Each structure stands twice: as structure tokens, then as C-alpha cells.
Amino acid sequence: MVLAIVAVASVGVQWAWPGQTRQLQRDAEQLAQWLDVVRADARAQGQIAQLNWNAQGVQARVAGLPVRTFRWSGDTQMQGQGLDAVQALRLPPEPVIPALRLRLQRGGETQFVFSDGFAPFTAQAHGQP
């Protein structure tokens, strides 16, 4: 009985104290949701959303709206498929956008955020949508 309680407590501590992988996964999921909000802002305003990122997070600017900021929970590198080293991205206001794939890295862990251009952004641990 005591061993069962210790085992359950250990699992609970592991869930409550997220490791690098879980923190990065949570960041990827929250970034996917945040990107959908920014995409909706761009559509509502009929303006392009300009995104810039660095090791601390991502900022989105849509004309006529306040700047939206997303902060990482740790030091994270983000790269986009087909994007240059300027670390900038534009989300057009159209309902269908070009497919987009972002790779998030922290330490040895990697997560991906995808959109095929039709569906909302999603987060996955592997590189294929």
C-alpha cells in the first residue's frame, strides 16, 4: 500500500514539474493557438500580420491593432520552412494562406507547428503534418 502511494505521488510530481519536452510541447500548442488568433486579427482587419521572433518570443503587428506578444517558457529557437534568416513572417488576411511549417527547438528537443493553409495551426512532435 505504501509503495502504491509513493508510485502515485512520483507520477504526480512528474506531471506537476514539467520537463523540457513538456514545456516545449506546451509552448508549441500555445503558439499554434496564438497564430490562429493573429490570423483571425489579420482577416478581421483586412491587413497583413507581420511576425518577428527571437529567443524570448514572437511579436505580431496588424495595422490598427495593438501589438500581440507571445513569450517562450525558456530559451527557444524557431525556424520556418523556406524563411530567411531575418526571422520574420507575414500572415496574409486571405482565408487560405500558403502552407507553413515552423520548427521549435530547445536543447535537444524539437516540436513543429503546421498549417496546410486551410486548417488551423497544429503542434506536433514530428515533422510531417
Side-chain angles (χ1 to χ4, degrees):
M1 183 66 166
V2 172
L3 289 177
I5 293 171
V6 169
V8 170
S10 297
V11 170
V13 167
Q14 287 177 343
W15 270 97
W17 195 348
Q20 284 255 20
T21 301
R22 244 177 285 153
Q23 286 179 342
L24 186 59
Q25 180 181 9
R26 188 175 325 128
D27 278 356
E29 291 167 355
Q30 291 174 352
L31 177 63
Q33 294 170 356
W34 185 85
L35 286 169
D36 283 332
V37 169
V38 170
R39 185 177 175 186
D41 286 349
R43 288 195 61 207
Q45 292 292 94
Q47 300 287 329
I48 293 172
Q50 179 71 35
L51 283 75
N52 297 297
W53 63 85
N54 57 36
Q56 288 78 39
V58 185
Q59 282 194 333
R61 288 181 176 80
V62 177
L65 294 176
V67 173
R68 287 190 180 271
T69 303
F70 177 84
R71 299 234 181 261
W72 308 120
S73 63
D75 189 25
T76 302
Q77 300 298 317
M78 184 170 95
Q79 296 176 332
Q81 178 181 9
L83 301 178
D84 58 17
V86 175
Q87 295 189 321
L89 171 69
R90 295 163 50 110
L91 291 177
E94 289 80 22
V96 178
I97 63 172
L100 180 64
R101 182 182 121 171
L102 301 171
R103 181 178 67 200
L104 308 179
Q105 289 184 295
R106 182 180 302 148
E109 304 298 328
T110 302
Q111 290 282 321
F112 295 89
V113 175
F114 296 95
S115 175
D116 63 3
F118 297 103
F121 286 92
T122 58
Q124 297 180 359
H126 52 82
Q128 297 300 319

